Amino acid sequence: MLDDERPNTLINSDLLQKVEGKFVRIEMFHKGNAYRVTEADLPFYIGRDPKVNSLSVDKELVSRIHCVVDIKEKQIGILDRSTNGTVVKVGEASSVIIRDEFYPLTGKGCLSLGEQYSSEQSDLILFKVVIEAV
């Protein structure tokens, strides 16, 4: 047992501080289109209605305004505003279904709107969060 009685999360907090940075942009890719979203472009709307959304997905399960990329508590993430939920998959981790909640985005991953994640889907939205080292 360690002499220090602090929880492991505090012991490891020095490592986290070294990888923190400032959000620069999120790059999104959908059906051959690339979207380079900076802080000035936020909030960035994703949904079925092309008149309202910056990224439009024409599918029955996708809500008119399905989700929003935005910053909350100094972290970039996705806010689900849909009827059917948004599935988020980051890296090799398991996918997570969010409904009416904010989910922070890091690294690389993909979004599935209104249906379970499958690597075979044609409507996946790929993303990459770009952070500038402090």
Side-chain angles (χ1 to χ4, degrees):
M1 180 166 177
L2 297 172
D3 291 334
D4 189 350
E5 298 206 4
R6 294 183 297 168
N8 288 338
T9 52
L10 290 177
I11 292 169
N12 294 329
S13 66
D14 291 338
L15 296 173
L16 291 175
Q17 290 174 354
K18 292 178 184 173
V19 296
E20 286 183 359
K22 181 182 183 300
F23 167 71
V24 176
R25 69 183 176 275
I26 184 167
E27 296 173 356
M28 304 184 91
F29 307 93
H30 178 255
K31 289 196 165 188
N33 296 311
Y35 304 83
R36 187 181 174 119
V37 183
T38 65
E39 194 167 351
D41 301 316
L42 300 176
F44 183 84
Y45 292 89
I46 301 171
R48 192 178 64 241
D49 188 346
K51 294 176 185 173
V52 177
N53 298 286
S54 301
L55 193 162
S56 179
V57 179
D58 187 22
K59 257 181 119 167
E60 189 174 310
L61 292 173
V62 176
S63 296
R64 190 175 75 80
I65 297 176
H66 197 93
C67 57
V68 182
V69 177
D70 209 350
I71 293 178
K72 184 176 180 182
E73 297 177 9
K74 297 183 181 181
Q75 191 157 16
I76 188 76
I78 191 98
L79 173 64
D80 176 72
R81 295 181 55 188
S82 71
T83 302
N84 297 314
T86 301
V87 177
V88 182
K89 182 165 175 24
V90 178
E92 298 298 317
S94 297
S95 60
V96 175
I97 300 170
I98 60 170
R99 288 188 172 89
D100 297 319
E101 62 185 310
F102 181 84
Y103 190 88
L105 298 177
T106 59
K108 297 178 184 179
C110 61
L111 305 173
S112 176
L113 308 182
E115 61 184 325
Q116 205 46 263
Y117 165 79
S118 165
S119 60
E120 305 299 317
Q121 283 177 270
S122 63
D123 278 318
L124 286 177
I125 300 169
L126 306 177
F127 70 84
K128 179 171 95 172
V129 177
V130 179
I131 301 291
E132 182 178 85
V134 178

